[in-house]
Amino acid sequence: KNIYGDELDKNKDIKDKYVLHTQIGQGLIDGVTLQLSDIKKDKVENEVNQDELLLNAADHELKSAKENFEQFAVNECFTKIDKALGFLSNISSKNENSEKIRFEAFSLRNKAKEWAGLYQEALAAAEEMLKIANYLNDAKLKAISELAKGTALHWLGNYNSAIELLTSALEIFKSNSHLKMAATCLNGMAFSKEMQSFHRDAIELLNQSLEFCENLDDDILAGKTLYQ
């Protein structure tokens, strides 16, 4: 048994075996004596290049999906999100860049599913967002995930859990001076309180939201708050 055979035995991963087989075979055809270090180096480089292609493909599908969503073409949006996630699932090892793109994909899926009234599926997407945010240890992404999950739970009629998540997101946004997102959380909490017939609590939360809107000079958000 030669060193190449030993290496093939050690590599149980089917993709590793394929790369090694291909490189060894080509080397024998060319009459070249391959060094094992060269094979491993080429394998790593091939994986890196493949991962970059997959990341670019996922990013392209996601940008196209966003355009579909903005045009209310949600079915096309869903299809392209699935394609993006498919590309990302084939990356050799997850990293910060791939996970951030995955977060964007699930975030868009959450918004599109909510818009389509598919609240259980919106909730599932929000839960995936939260897993990624925890993996990245990113407080802002965690707050965005909690806002998304809380909103989905509201639409599913689970008002107490919705308020709990929105309160947690609110504190993170406030501590990082993301006032617009904080106001959005307060509006969501007020909506849940209103659905529970706690009208005084809802009014108090909306007044807090309006204070943030005044600091932001955001007439659109203020209008939405007043409308509630």
Side-chain angles (χ1 to χ4, degrees):
K1 213 184 255 189
N2 57 37
I3 59 170
Y4 305 130
D6 291 339
E7 184 64 18
L8 285 168
D9 286 341
K10 284 190 292 183
N11 277 278
K12 302 301 182 185
D13 187 274
I14 190 66
K15 289 193 293 185
D16 289 352
K17 284 179 180 286
Y18 173 78
V19 172
L20 288 167
H21 270 298
T22 303
Q23 291 177 325
I24 292 168
Q26 188 60 50
L28 293 172
I29 290 168
D30 295 340
V32 177
T33 302
L34 296 176
Q35 296 296 321
L36 200 54
S37 60
D38 292 334
I39 294 174
K40 290 180 177 178
K41 180 182 176 184
D42 288 345
K43 181 168 75 72
V44 170
E45 287 176 352
N46 286 338
E47 284 184 348
V48 169
N49 291 336
Q50 184 185 29
D51 284 355
E52 287 178 358
L53 289 172
L54 289 167
L55 278 174
N56 289 336
D59 190 51
H60 173 77
E61 290 293 342
L62 195 53
K63 285 176 181 175
S64 183
K66 288 176 182 176
E67 291 176 2
N68 288 142
F69 181 58
E70 289 167 1
Q71 296 164 1
F72 309 109
V74 289
N75 288 330
E76 291 86 346
C77 175
F78 295 148
T79 298
K80 288 172 183 175
I81 291 171
D82 289 342
K83 284 183 180 179
L85 290 170
F87 286 130
L88 293 170
S89 70
N90 284 303
I91 288 177
S92 58
S93 60
K94 64 182 180 182
N95 53 61
E96 185 175 348
N97 287 336
S98 68
E99 290 305 285
K100 283 183 176 179
I101 295 175
R102 274 203 339 123
F103 183 90
E104 287 182 35
F106 280 112
S107 179
L108 183 58
R109 178 184 278 179
N110 165 264
K111 292 173 185 174
K113 293 291 185 181
E114 182 186 324
W115 186 88
L118 302 170
Y119 303 123
Q120 197 65 52
E121 293 178 42
L123 176 62
E127 288 172 343
E128 291 298 323
M129 292 166 61
L130 194 53
K131 289 178 188 176
I132 298 167
N134 288 331
Y135 170 80
L136 293 171
N137 195 27
D138 189 307
K140 183 180 178 182
L141 294 186
K142 181 182 179 183
I144 292 170
S145 304
E146 289 177 336
L147 172 56
K149 185 175 180 179
T151 302
L153 286 169
H154 167 87
W155 290 118
L156 289 167
N158 196 339
Y159 303 123
N160 287 332
S161 295
I163 291 168
E164 184 179 342
L165 281 162
L166 292 170
T167 301
S168 175
L170 171 66
E171 293 307 314
I172 296 172
F173 287 132
K174 282 169 60 178
S175 66
N176 289 280
S177 300
H178 297 301
L179 300 185
K180 185 171 183 177
M181 299 298 286
T184 302
C185 290
L186 287 165
N187 287 352
M189 292 162 65
F191 197 8
S192 288
K193 288 288 186 182
E194 185 181 350
M195 295 302 292
Q196 293 175 308
S197 297
F198 297 137
H199 302 300
R200 288 184 181 277
D201 290 344
I203 291 170
E204 184 179 336
L205 289 164
L206 291 172
N207 285 334
Q208 291 179 45
S209 178
L210 281 172
E211 289 179 15
F212 285 132
C213 293
E214 288 174 4
N215 291 330
L216 288 166
D217 194 26
D218 191 323
D219 293 336
I220 295 174
L221 185 57
K224 289 180 180 178
T225 305
L226 288 168
Y227 179 76
Q228 277 188 251

